[in-house]
Amino acid sequence: MLFKASGAGFAGSVGEHHEGFEMWNSRVNPHTGAAMGPKRGVIGELAKVICGQGTKFMTAMYHAEAWYFYLH
């Protein structure tokens, strides 16, 4: 994967957009990438690949007030 080849210490994507659209499967929010859009849990798939190559996974949660970053 490009992240590992570049020597990155962590990689990831935006997990939740300001309007509440989540890029994973959720039992409490119907506005997700798994229910709409690509019909998949993109964040989970990305985390599995990134962590599987020994790179730390991160996701950013955007809310109107602030950005939140989570490293795994």
Side-chain angles (χ1 to χ4, degrees), residues 12-18 21-24 42-43 46 58-62 67 69:
S13 178
V14 172
E16 181 181 22
H17 297 271
H18 66 91
F21 189 86
E22 298 169 347
M23 296 302 293
W24 63 83
V42 176
I43 293 298
L46 197 56
M58 61 77 59
T59 188
M61 313 295 268
Y62 178 77
W67 277 91
F69 293 93

Side-chain angles (χ1 to χ4, degrees), residues 24-65:
W24 63 83
N25 193 12
S26 172
R27 292 180 292 173
V28 297
N29 183 2
H31 305 289
T32 68
M36 307 166 80
K39 304 277 187 199
R40 339 174 2 184
V42 176
I43 293 298
E45 292 176 19
L46 197 56
K48 185 175 182 179
V49 170
I50 290 171
C51 291
Q53 294 190 357
T55 304
K56 290 184 180 179
F57 174 74
M58 61 77 59
T59 188
M61 313 295 268
Y62 178 77
H63 297 275
E65 302 82 31

